Amino acid sequence: MPTWQLRLLRGRPGGSPRLEIYRVELPAEAYLIDAVEKIWAEQDRSLLFRHACHHASCGACGVRVNGRERLMCITPLREFSPDRPIQVEPLRHFPWLGDLLVDVSPMMRRMAEVGFAIVRQDELTADRPLPEGIERITRFEDCIECGLCLSACPVMAADEAYLGPATLAAIERMLKEPRGGDTARLLTLADDPHGAWRCHSAMECTAVCPSNVDPASAIGRLRRRLIAERFRRWIGGGR
Amino acid sequence: MSYHVIVIGAGSTGAAVAHDLALRGFRVTVVERGEVASGTSGRNHCLLHSGGRYAMRDPESARECIEENMILRRIMPEALELNDGLFVALDEQDLAWKERFLAACEECGIPAREIPVRQALALEPHLNPNILAAVQVPDGVFEPFRFCLSFLATARRNGATVLTYTEVVDFVFQGRTVAGVRVRDRRTGEERVIGGDIVVNAAGPWSGRIAAMAGVDVPVVPTAGVMISVGRRWNRMVINRLNMPGDGDIIVPQRRTAIIGTTSWRVEDPDFIPIPEDHVRLLLDRAERFIPGYTRGGIRGIFAVARPLVGRRGVAADGRELSRTFECFDHAADGVEGFVTITGGKMTTARAMAEKAVDVVCAKLGLEIPCRTREVPLLSYRAFFD
């Protein structure tokens, strides 16, 4: 069984973070989350990290792996070589709580402000007949609120008040399928210097999204919608 | 009333217990050594049981499942996909169970109805076209992390304190009565004592370890299972094998994925569970029988976690024979006052487990406060982050 080298960012707020090397034996079929959990279980019980579902549904285990935002649970070890350390650091642009752990509540509060509902109509299988007793076919939204896009976004580094790719993509989803949401309020939220107009299309969000959300395209669609709304108001002589 | 109850564990059981306690007016502190749902609950198969799986072998658990399934639909719609489930017969052996299965479901109050194979294949075109029968039941799918967060968010709104990354390192006694717990804040390394009138152990497969700290024995048998998630959602409804519960006989769809599970073996240490390679092969082989081409689209994640089954004497060690029902232990019977363990059960029955545990807590304190968790809708999981 191969021995993997992990270089983990360690430390606590107030102290200076450092990178520490750990060695862990696991088959190549295992995932990065298994390696980190095994280090915690067998080598260092003080290691802080987030995880829950281990199949990319909860969004808890986002980190930066060799500088790139990833979910540890779907990052297979076989992608790496046992000779070179795998560097694991916490997400950026979130309050750091220590080691690999960040506080995701600022993002969650923004998603709450949008009223982003996670249960959607399932369009993937909409062509099939409905089972008896089922009114509509639902599935959970693609966005798992993992925060990878916020960490990868260069604008987040420059503007703390920026709504961020996940929130803007959520607004775009809710405008398309409001599920009881107040669309006028959502448009106002997005039509803001810290909203859809702040994005400069670096596309990093879409590149790191583990869940098919494609926030960059969603922000593009949102901007077109905002322009259309402005035009409509201008034509109609309204506000 | 100002009784303070400490709940150990923020998985589904601890989260539901905290919610029930807070609703009944207790002061509540939840201590959890990691993230919410970082143990068994998070790595759940995501199956909101109709009870169909247990109807033939474990009717008590089946009845609990269908009752709770209907309650959860009312109180936490935001964390559920409600697309029903099918029990399908893959061969003559499965087919031979059909009548008994339908009768057992009826007996347990599970609405089950046979549908023509042609209709089942129209609903689920990726299903093996050679199935011999299909029975529709009200299974569902949940999001385990958000399931737990919803209970905790509501508990918090009602005054509960939730301390994550806070590990219990010891119990504090006054004589033979538990008076609190010593905890370590894993972020600072600092230890402190939290005093409480009652401590509820909701640590799942770790509840034996927690109970041992208080000097009592809990017959919990950590029984692991493997699950494999793939890159494509092949099915809309939960697909179960129409037979006695066995390995690799359920495919749960969720978001854009499908998850085949599970296996069952006893583990000593639930902290880290190495995944047996032969279990992976077996699951993929079984998945192919339901949905030919299951792994086309790639494997997304492979994971294992331990169930907290309640041990019974003389029962096989692989755990399939153990009931999925739950037990509440008042450790006064073991000579330790102020300490209760709630374990066993399913995530689907977490609310009922909480009701039972809090009934025991009330009885111990001589209180009569009715449970309200059947009726009170839960807040959004996001309220946890308010």
Side-chain angles (χ1 to χ4, degrees):
Chain A
M1 206 181 330
T3 298
W4 308 88
Q5 300 175 55
L6 273 74
R7 192 155 58 204
L8 307 182
L9 184 128
R10 299 300 312 271
R12 296 291 184 268
S16 44
R18 63 204 179 276
L19 291 163
E20 277 184 25
I21 289 271
Y22 299 84
R23 284 179 180 76
V24 60
E25 222 177 85
L26 275 171
E29 292 73 36
Y31 292 82
L32 186 56
I33 189 66
D34 302 320
V36 169
E37 189 173 43
K38 197 174 185 199
I39 290 167
W40 162 78
E42 296 172 1
Q43 299 181 38
D44 189 342
R45 304 291 282 200
S46 72
L47 179 63
L48 300 173
F49 61 107
R50 290 180 85 217
H51 66 128
C53 79
H54 292 217
H55 69 276
S57 172
C58 73
C61 69
V63 290
R64 280 183 301 145
V65 183
N66 295 340
R68 204 65 179 145
E69 281 75 10
R70 306 284 298 266
L71 293 177
M72 292 192 276
C73 66
I74 53 170
T75 301
L77 290 177
R78 64 172 179 274
E79 268 186 29
F80 306 95
S81 154
D83 319 325
R84 306 255 296 274
I86 308 166
Q87 186 155 312
V88 188
E89 297 165 272
L91 294 182
R92 297 181 292 192
H93 313 141
F94 287 96
W96 180 53
L97 299 174
D99 300 339
L100 306 177
L101 184 66
V102 296
D103 175 11
V104 296
S105 48
M107 173 185 67
M108 288 297 191
R109 282 197 291 267
R110 281 180 182 163
M111 297 301 261
E113 205 185 333
V114 171
F116 183 52
I118 62 158
V119 182
R120 77 190 283 174
Q121 289 268 62
D122 181 19
E123 74 288 5
L124 299 173
T125 55
D127 53 333
R128 303 183 211 165
L130 289 176
E132 196 173 308
I134 301 291
E135 282 166 30
R136 59 193 187 117
I137 287 298
T138 59
R139 68 176 173 91
F140 293 127
E141 277 289 346
D142 288 336
C143 180
I144 55 175
E145 301 164 302
C146 61
L148 299 198
C149 58
L150 272 74
S151 176
C153 174
V155 177
M156 291 301 304
D159 179 7
E160 260 191 25
Y162 177 43
L163 280 181
T167 311
L168 290 167
I171 290 176
E172 199 269 338
R173 272 293 305 150
M174 291 303 285
L175 288 171
K176 197 156 44 180
E177 199 185 304
R179 287 164 282 185
D182 176 353
T183 53
R185 199 182 61 85
L186 291 174
L187 286 166
T188 310
L189 199 60
D191 195 1
D192 184 279
H194 302 291
W197 307 111
R198 194 71 178 81
C199 164
H200 59 56
S201 308
M203 314 294 281
E204 294 291 335
C205 50
T206 291
V208 300
C209 177
S211 202
N212 311 85
V213 175
D214 189 3
S217 302
I219 294 170
R221 289 192 298 273
L222 185 55
R223 283 175 165 178
R224 287 194 290 278
R225 170 87 187 253
L226 291 173
I227 290 168
E229 291 288 332
R230 281 184 182 185
F231 192 66
R232 190 175 309 151
R233 282 202 301 267
W234 181 67
I235 294 288
R239 186 186 67 93
Chain B
M1 181 195 51
S2 62
Y3 287 113
H4 182 207
V5 181
I6 298 164
V7 180
I8 302 173
S12 58
T13 312
V17 167
H19 166 58
D20 193 320
L21 284 165
L23 266 190
R24 293 199 220 191
F26 287 92
R27 277 178 58 218
V28 185
T29 302
V30 181
V31 289
E32 160 60 54
R33 68 178 182 175
E35 176 57 276
V36 169
S38 55
T40 301
S41 300
R43 261 169 276 184
N44 195 282
H45 203 170
C46 311
L47 173 56
L48 177 69
H49 280 272
S50 62
R53 180 170 178 77
Y54 305 115
M56 292 193 287
R57 179 182 278 170
D58 192 355
E60 189 187 354
S61 180
R63 279 191 202 94
E64 285 164 6
C65 284
I66 187 63
E67 194 180 344
E68 292 305 312
N69 177 311
M70 294 300 153
I71 293 171
L72 291 174
R73 284 165 192 256
R74 286 202 306 271
I75 67 171
M76 60 157 61
E78 199 189 24
L80 307 175
E81 286 183 10
L82 296 173
N83 298 330
D84 276 16
L86 290 177
F87 277 76
V88 299
L90 293 173
D91 54 29
E92 293 291 337
Q93 251 186 336
D94 291 354
L95 191 61
W97 288 105
K98 190 183 77 184
E99 294 311 320
R100 201 179 139 196
F101 176 74
L102 286 165
C105 284
E106 188 171 357
E107 184 75 13
C108 297
I110 301 161
R113 152 180 99 73
E114 186 175 6
I115 62 171
V117 165
R118 205 156 39 101
Q119 192 187 341
L121 293 174
L123 293 168
E124 298 292 351
H126 299 290
L127 203 52
N128 182 340
N130 301 319
I131 60 165
L132 301 174
V135 178
Q136 188 183 335
V137 295
D139 281 341
V141 177
F142 50 69
E143 222 291 340
F145 185 43
R146 289 164 176 84
F147 181 110
C148 299
L149 289 172
S150 304
F151 277 113
L152 290 171
T154 317
R156 237 183 198 175
R157 187 67 59 88
N158 291 318
T161 301
V162 182
L163 304 172
T164 52
Y165 298 93
T166 301
E167 185 162 19
V168 172
V169 293
D170 206 356
F171 276 66
V172 179
F173 279 91
Q174 266 174 351
R176 292 293 290 159
T177 299
V178 170
V181 288
R182 174 172 286 281
V183 296
R184 182 186 300 125
D185 182 330
R186 289 185 50 220
R187 284 177 294 186
T188 61
E190 279 164 19
E191 289 192 9
R192 68 184 171 113
V193 168
I194 303 175
D197 297 288
I198 303 269
V199 174
V200 178
N201 172 11
W206 293 272
S207 56
R209 222 186 263 180
I210 292 289
M213 283 186 199
V216 298
D217 188 45
V218 168
V220 65
V221 182
T223 309
V226 176
M227 285 150 277
I228 304 173
S229 144
V230 290
R232 184 157 168 193
R233 179 176 178 141
W234 296 104
N235 43 326
R236 294 195 299 192
M237 305 163 79
V238 178
I239 308 293
N240 307 263
R241 184 164 187 179
L242 205 175
N243 206 311
M244 283 295 182
D247 289 345
D249 56 2
I250 311 179
I251 299 180
V252 178
Q254 195 214 30
R255 295 192 189 275
R256 284 182 184 239
T257 186
I259 310 162
I260 175 83
T262 65
T263 56
S264 183
W265 81 103
R266 190 176 176 155
V267 292
E268 289 306 316
D269 182 5
D271 276 356
F272 183 79
I273 301 168
I275 294 178
E277 207 189 319
D278 54 328
H279 287 216
V280 173
R281 280 198 304 272
L282 177 139
L283 287 176
L284 293 179
D285 183 59
R286 296 278 161 91
E288 281 292 321
R289 300 187 59 192
F290 285 108
I291 294 175
Y294 179 74
T295 53
R296 276 189 288 127
I299 291 178
R300 195 159 163 81
I302 303 175
F303 51 108
V305 78
R307 313 165 180 88
L309 301 186
V310 179
R312 306 263 194 300
R313 220 166 295 203
V315 163
D318 79 346
R320 284 277 179 227
E321 300 291 330
L322 290 178
S323 169
R324 263 51 177 174
T325 190
F326 54 85
E327 293 281 349
C328 187
F329 300 94
D330 178 352
H331 296 296
D334 309 307
V336 172
E337 256 307 339
F339 183 42
V340 171
T341 294
I342 175 78
T343 194
K346 308 288 303 168
M347 195 136 159
T348 302
T349 61
R351 190 218 60 86
M353 294 172 74
E355 178 174 350
K356 184 160 177 178
V358 180
D359 283 348
V360 169
V361 168
C362 286
K364 288 176 74 64
L365 296 168
L367 301 166
E368 268 184 57
I369 311 167
C371 173
R372 291 167 53 215
T373 57
R374 283 163 196 268
E375 298 87 37
V376 175
L378 299 174
L379 295 178
S380 160
Y381 65 91
R382 283 204 206 95
F384 181 78
F385 300 95
D386 281 355

